Amino acid sequence: MWIRSISRLVSSLGIAAAMFGSAAAETTVKIGMVMPLTGTLASAGKQVVAGARLYVAKHGNTVAGKQIELVVKDDGTSFDVGKRLTQEAIANHEFDVLAGGTTGDLLASAPIITEGKMPTVIMLSSTSAVIDKSPYFVRTSCTLAQSSAIVAEWAAKNGIKRVVTLVSDFSPGHEAEARFKDRYLGLGGEIAESIRVPLQNPDFAPFLQRARDDSPQAIFVFIPSVQAGTFAKQFVERGLDKAGIRLIGPGDITDDELLPAMGDAMLGTVTAHFYSAAHPSPMNRAFVAAYQKLTGNRPNFMAVSGYDGMHLIYAALEKANGSVAGDALVSAMKGMSWESPRGPMSIDAATGDVVHNIYIRKVERANGEINNVEFVTFEAVKDVRASAK
């Protein structure tokens, strides 16, 4: 009898522990951030994570009766590692929501995400085609097509008739190049040459010399923002600034966090992008101050993407009454709109892609600081492919 009593007690304790663990799991929403924290794109991943953490710090870690927990994993800027981490996390039920990182990770993981019905908010990748790879994808970052097409339109209408394109040789670079060329050629511009540079540890100098030899009025540039400092230095060393060749492109080349360290090399550069730390709104001024206090750095477009990604997750959890079921949460996200530090934004109800203003900005020095100063606004810009549907 004594043995049977002990056995029943142990069994009861086991059931109670299981019930407690289940209840704890049901009251916690784990948001997995598979991001590049080391390797070539480490700076980008860290900025997204910092933006997400700032949102939680400002708005609390509970929503719809659930506790929010960020689970951050480093993919090392390796698509194979990112796929493995995502696959393991879904198989082991480590995440309830995925914060999507690089294009390579998302393309490799899309079938796994779809099979696992994992709601995924893309906070880093800017490749248009990614959004089509899973019905569980929505995006709060941007698409390169949005900025590339807009800056092409601005250049063609402002007397820039001959351009060299220079982009990193990976899918985001290919997309930026294609969207710029489509719009620019369609408006009567001339592409003197299209140059692609290696993604890993590039030496821009020989490619810049090729571009200079083509005598363009401007170079359209897309490279990852983490390489912008090296590019700016070599642009000046090769004398392209003295030759009167202008720099244009998406906003990665004048990344807000790195811009102050680039010095005068970037003055006059014109870019099209969805966010500037100098965006003149009270919400953005508060965001910039809070981010600088948290990190010691100026926020850039990746930081605001992480911040807005968390806003979307919080708002969707409220709308879905705390449900983390993939279909319910993604359905709650689509069609949402809100005011962001970047300005007004929304999630396209049909595609799940981001819709926001694209600003033409010029790098200027004011009050001792170098900033991307917005001077033209294109409102509520959809992805170029979405606009054509």
Side-chain angles (χ1 to χ4, degrees):
M1 288 180 64
W2 179 79
I3 293 174
R4 285 199 298 273
S5 297
I6 293 294
S7 178
R8 282 196 297 271
L9 177 61
V10 170
S11 177
S12 297
L13 289 172
I15 293 169
M19 290 176 64
F20 177 79
S22 176
E26 289 177 1
T27 58
T28 301
V29 176
K30 293 187 177 182
I31 300 170
M33 306 192 76
V34 179
M35 292 285 167
L37 303 178
T38 55
T40 308
L41 301 178
S43 177
K46 290 175 181 177
Q47 289 153 346
V48 175
V49 171
R53 285 178 169 155
L54 175 60
Y55 190 89
V56 175
K58 286 191 69 175
H59 296 274
N61 64 348
T62 58
V63 59
K66 301 294 183 74
Q67 195 85 7
I68 301 297
E69 180 182 343
L70 292 182
V71 182
V72 181
K73 293 179 180 284
D74 177 18
D75 70 9
T77 317
S78 166
F79 305 152
D80 290 336
V81 173
K83 180 181 178 181
R84 175 178 57 78
L85 291 173
T86 302
Q87 186 170 7
E88 290 173 353
I90 292 174
N92 297 326
H93 306 287
E94 294 178 41
F95 304 156
D96 298 297
V97 181
L98 177 64
T102 65
T103 295
D105 280 6
L106 290 165
L107 291 175
S109 304
I112 303 162
I113 288 167
T114 301
E115 184 180 354
K117 298 184 176 181
M118 174 64 66
T120 300
V121 180
I122 300 170
M123 301 184 189
L124 179 53
S125 172
S126 57
T127 303
S128 289
V130 166
I131 202 76
D132 298 329
K133 300 304 180 182
S134 174
Y136 297 95
F137 284 167
V138 297
R139 180 169 9 219
T140 60
S141 52
C142 66
T143 74
L144 280 168
Q146 291 170 321
S147 295
S148 299
I150 292 295
V151 80
E153 185 171 326
W154 179 86
K157 293 180 178 178
N158 284 272
I160 298 176
K161 301 183 183 302
R162 180 178 166 87
V163 170
V164 167
T165 64
L166 188 155
V167 303
S168 293
D169 192 8
F170 73 138
S171 55
H174 303 164
E175 179 168 299
E177 176 191 80
R179 296 295 173 258
F180 177 85
K181 288 171 71 173
D182 285 349
R183 183 66 62 86
Y184 187 65
L185 292 171
L187 292 170
E190 177 190 352
I191 301 295
E193 186 178 3
S194 293
I195 300 172
R196 294 181 177 180
V197 301
L199 177 63
Q200 300 292 336
N201 304 314
D203 177 7
F204 295 108
F207 302 103
L208 285 167
Q209 186 60 52
R210 275 176 57 188
R212 180 175 181 172
D213 292 343
D214 287 318
S215 302
Q217 290 174 279
I219 303 176
F220 168 86
V221 180
F222 168 76
I223 58 173
S225 62
V226 296
Q227 298 174 353
T230 300
F231 180 90
K233 179 182 177 183
Q234 294 184 337
F235 183 83
V236 172
E237 287 174 349
R238 288 282 160 173
L240 274 76
D241 56 333
K242 301 294 191 299
I245 298 172
R246 302 180 68 177
L247 282 180
I248 60 174
D252 307 67
I253 190 67
T254 58
D255 180 296
D256 278 298
E257 182 177 321
L258 303 174
L259 189 57
M262 295 182 203
D264 292 346
M266 286 293 166
L267 288 175
T269 299
V270 173
T271 57
H273 218 34
F274 67 94
Y275 176 71
S276 167
H279 179 66
S281 76
M283 179 179 284
N284 185 53
R285 284 191 284 271
F287 170 71
V288 170
Y291 188 89
Q292 288 180 320
K293 183 177 180 181
L294 178 70
T295 68
N297 297 315
R298 181 195 289 183
N300 67 359
F301 62 96
M302 286 168 285
V304 82
S305 296
Y307 187 87
D308 285 325
M310 291 304 298
H311 173 88
L312 181 62
I313 293 168
Y314 273 47
L317 285 169
E318 288 281 11
K319 187 176 179 181
N321 297 315
S323 173
V324 292
D327 292 302
L329 203 58
V330 169
S331 178
M333 291 176 181
K334 288 185 174 182
M336 279 197 169
S337 61
W338 67 97
E339 186 70 21
S340 156
R342 72 182 78 181
M345 67 178 292
S346 63
I347 304 300
D348 189 280
T351 66
D353 223 335
V354 64
V355 181
H356 49 193
N357 292 347
I358 298 295
Y359 308 96
I360 302 293
R361 308 102 47 83
K362 186 175 183 180
V363 177
E364 297 179 356
R365 183 185 292 277
N367 300 320
E369 290 190 345
I370 298 177
N371 279 298
N372 290 297
V373 178
E374 300 164 356
F375 63 95
V376 178
T377 300
F378 291 75
E379 295 184 351
V381 177
K382 291 187 175 184
D383 180 68
V384 171
R385 297 180 321 122
S387 298
K389 292 180 180 176

